[in-house]
Amino acid sequence: SFHEHPTTFIDLDRVRAEKEMMARKYLQPIVEEWSGMKPLELTSFYGIREYHENAFLREHVDRIDTHVLSVTITVDKRDVPEGAEPWPLQVTDWTGQQVKYDHPAGTMILYESSKLPHGRPTPNKGGTHLGAFVHFKPKSMHGTDAKKWDNIANAARDNVRKHTIHASFRSTPPVEPKNPVFSSQKYGEGSVYQKAGENGKAADDDGRISVEFKNAADRSLQVFWYHKSQPDPVFQGKAWPGAGFTINTFQGHTFYWAELDSKKPLPGGKITIDAGKRVYKYSLKKDGTEMK
């Protein structure tokens, strides 16, 4: 669903050794006991991926060579609206029945991701879903037990074929409008966009500054870039309490903090980039007092 509803990604590879140590120490024994297979080998610790409102994930199966036994973790749910519906994991079991598992924050589901079709085909209506994925395989699957795992892979492929229905369709041809209207918006201003030079290479980025916007307040906030020449501010990112994000910008560019449901600057939330400053915090609580 990425092309319809883009997800965002929190890269944990900056602490790769720590995250893999945690997976081997805490998750691997659980998966080994659940599956009855031992020893297992960690093949992937992926995420954290952020699924926003209306995101969905079509049913699919994972790679048989690395994703034999898997764990999907709901790390957290953020900005959950009142009365929000669950966003369950849907799995097609060996009988062809589709079963759904509610997956609240702080829980994990163990499953055979390379054999059973799984996904979240219903649109997410429960706020931002933060998910991480951990995958294991038996250490012997490409050694002494290689033939056995080939048979398992073939059985898995047969299972997918038996429960797959193919349908023919014809795409609607594109139609060029008779009187196209072109936007006057100058896209890319205030962003990391670079105009290509005559030689096809990007222009020089002299003067670019990497800055971090850090939310030290008591609620989730968002940041906008603005300029008097532009009618509308440009959204830059969202940060939960204690979190932040980094962008590339230039000295003198202007930004501001705003509530999630507003494009109006918060009191004390306007920012002008200074070449000697790299971190810009906002720490006023909703009642206007400073966070301690």
Side-chain angles (χ1 to χ4, degrees), residues 183-191 193 230:
S183 172
S184 60
Q185 174 71 37
K186 296 180 180 179
Y187 292 99
E189 287 193 1
S191 71
Y193 167 81
Q230 299 296 320

Short mmCIF file of all heavy atoms in Angstrom, two decimals, residues 183-191 193 230:
data_model
loop_
_atom_site.label_atom_id
_atom_site.label_comp_id
_atom_site.label_asym_id
_atom_site.label_seq_id
_atom_site.Cartn_x
_atom_site.Cartn_y
_atom_site.Cartn_z
N SER A 183 -0.08 24.04 -12.34
CA SER A 183 0.05 24.65 -11.02
C SER A 183 1.08 25.76 -11.03
O SER A 183 2.12 25.67 -11.71
CB SER A 183 0.46 23.58 -9.99
OG SER A 183 0.76 24.18 -8.75
N SER A 184 0.81 26.81 -10.27
CA SER A 184 1.77 27.90 -10.11
C SER A 184 2.69 27.68 -8.92
O SER A 184 3.59 28.47 -8.67
CB SER A 184 1.03 29.23 -9.95
OG SER A 184 0.19 29.19 -8.79
N GLN A 185 2.45 26.59 -8.18
CA GLN A 185 3.27 26.28 -7.01
C GLN A 185 4.69 25.95 -7.43
O GLN A 185 4.92 25.16 -8.35
CB GLN A 185 2.68 25.08 -6.25
CG GLN A 185 3.52 24.58 -5.09
CD GLN A 185 3.51 25.54 -3.93
OE1 GLN A 185 2.49 26.16 -3.65
NE2 GLN A 185 4.63 25.68 -3.26
N LYS A 186 5.68 26.55 -6.77
CA LYS A 186 7.09 26.26 -7.04
C LYS A 186 7.52 25.12 -6.12
O LYS A 186 7.95 25.35 -4.98
CB LYS A 186 7.94 27.51 -6.81
CG LYS A 186 7.61 28.65 -7.77
CD LYS A 186 8.48 29.86 -7.51
CE LYS A 186 8.15 30.99 -8.48
NZ LYS A 186 8.98 32.20 -8.21
N TYR A 187 7.38 23.91 -6.60
CA TYR A 187 7.67 22.74 -5.78
C TYR A 187 9.17 22.62 -5.52
O TYR A 187 9.99 22.86 -6.39
CB TYR A 187 7.16 21.47 -6.46
CG TYR A 187 5.66 21.41 -6.53
CD1 TYR A 187 4.98 21.78 -7.69
CD2 TYR A 187 4.91 21.03 -5.43
CE1 TYR A 187 3.61 21.75 -7.75
CE2 TYR A 187 3.53 21.00 -5.48
CZ TYR A 187 2.88 21.36 -6.65
OH TYR A 187 1.52 21.33 -6.70
N GLY A 188 9.49 22.25 -4.29
CA GLY A 188 10.88 22.01 -3.92
C GLY A 188 11.50 23.12 -3.12
O GLY A 188 12.53 22.93 -2.48
N GLU A 189 10.89 24.32 -3.11
CA GLU A 189 11.48 25.40 -2.34
C GLU A 189 11.40 25.09 -0.85
O GLU A 189 10.37 24.65 -0.34
CB GLU A 189 10.76 26.72 -2.63
CG GLU A 189 11.09 27.30 -4.00
CD GLU A 189 10.63 28.74 -4.14
OE1 GLU A 189 10.09 29.28 -3.16
OE2 GLU A 189 10.81 29.32 -5.22
N GLY A 190 12.51 25.31 -0.17
CA GLY A 190 12.55 25.04 1.26
C GLY A 190 12.76 23.58 1.60
O GLY A 190 12.66 23.17 2.74
N SER A 191 13.03 22.74 0.61
CA SER A 191 13.25 21.32 0.84
C SER A 191 14.66 20.96 0.39
O SER A 191 15.48 21.82 0.06
CB SER A 191 12.23 20.49 0.05
OG SER A 191 12.51 20.55 -1.33
N TYR A 193 15.33 19.45 -2.27
CA TYR A 193 15.31 19.35 -3.74
C TYR A 193 16.46 20.16 -4.34
O TYR A 193 16.75 21.28 -3.91
CB TYR A 193 13.97 19.87 -4.26
CG TYR A 193 13.93 20.12 -5.74
CD1 TYR A 193 13.73 19.08 -6.63
CD2 TYR A 193 14.11 21.40 -6.25
CE1 TYR A 193 13.69 19.31 -7.99
CE2 TYR A 193 14.06 21.63 -7.62
CZ TYR A 193 13.85 20.58 -8.49
OH TYR A 193 13.81 20.83 -9.83
N GLN A 230 5.10 32.59 -0.07
CA GLN A 230 4.29 31.40 -0.31
C GLN A 230 2.96 31.50 0.42
O GLN A 230 2.92 31.86 1.60
CB GLN A 230 5.03 30.15 0.17
CG GLN A 230 6.35 29.90 -0.55
CD GLN A 230 6.15 29.63 -2.03
OE1 GLN A 230 5.22 28.95 -2.42
NE2 GLN A 230 7.03 30.18 -2.84
#
